[in-house]
Amino acid sequence: MAGAGDSLRVWETRPQFHDLLFGIFSDRTLSMPARLMAIITFKNGVDKYWKKAALHAIGLAEKELIRPRLLSMLDEDVPQIAVQYCVAVARIARWDFPMVWPTFAEELASR
């Protein structure tokens, strides 16, 4: 198991990794454990790397791929996944609204 953790630590600093995690988490045809691991890793990566001043920060291009899809999973019906997802959305909104993502409130209200 240590090998898997080490691999994740290497991959989490690579471009497009968090976009890939979002794609895995949002694919409801995948198993719940795979989706849960993806959203937990995504949430933790957001916490570490979303701020532009962070070492190995998630790049602007990747954020622009994630942000438009971010509110698409508000109807998540698996409670364990929904909680992790909501925490990730809240963190991104806290850092990006209103300067970087000025339409967040309107987008959220329209869902």
Side-chain angles (χ1 to χ4, degrees):
M1 195 64 155
D6 292 340
S7 293
L8 276 176
R9 279 186 284 285
V10 170
W11 295 336
E12 72 185 4
T13 62
R14 302 264 170 92
Q16 308 307 315
F17 180 68
H18 294 88
D19 182 51
L20 177 65
L21 288 172
F22 192 87
I24 293 169
F25 140 71
S26 63
D27 184 346
R28 294 180 180 177
T29 65
L30 296 175
S31 71
M32 192 281 263
R35 294 180 65 226
L36 182 61
M37 178 59 77
I39 192 58
I40 289 170
T41 306
F42 176 82
K43 176 201 67 169
N44 292 341
V46 163
D47 197 36
K48 289 187 212 174
Y49 304 114
W50 195 266
K51 294 179 185 178
K52 64 182 175 183
L55 182 63
H56 305 297
I58 298 170
L60 181 59
E62 186 172 2
K63 289 178 181 180
E64 289 175 354
L65 291 172
I66 294 169
R67 218 178 275 119
R69 299 180 295 153
L70 196 58
L71 298 179
S72 66
M73 299 299 293
L74 289 173
D75 62 343
E76 177 57 53
D77 57 354
V78 178
Q80 301 93 323
I81 293 173
V83 167
Q84 301 299 319
Y85 165 71
C86 288
V87 170
V89 170
R91 288 178 180 165
I92 292 170
R94 183 180 66 206
W95 294 318
D96 285 5
F97 179 77
M99 300 303 288
V100 178
W101 193 5
T103 60
F104 170 76
E106 292 86 21
E107 290 177 42
L108 183 60
S110 73
R111 301 267 172 186

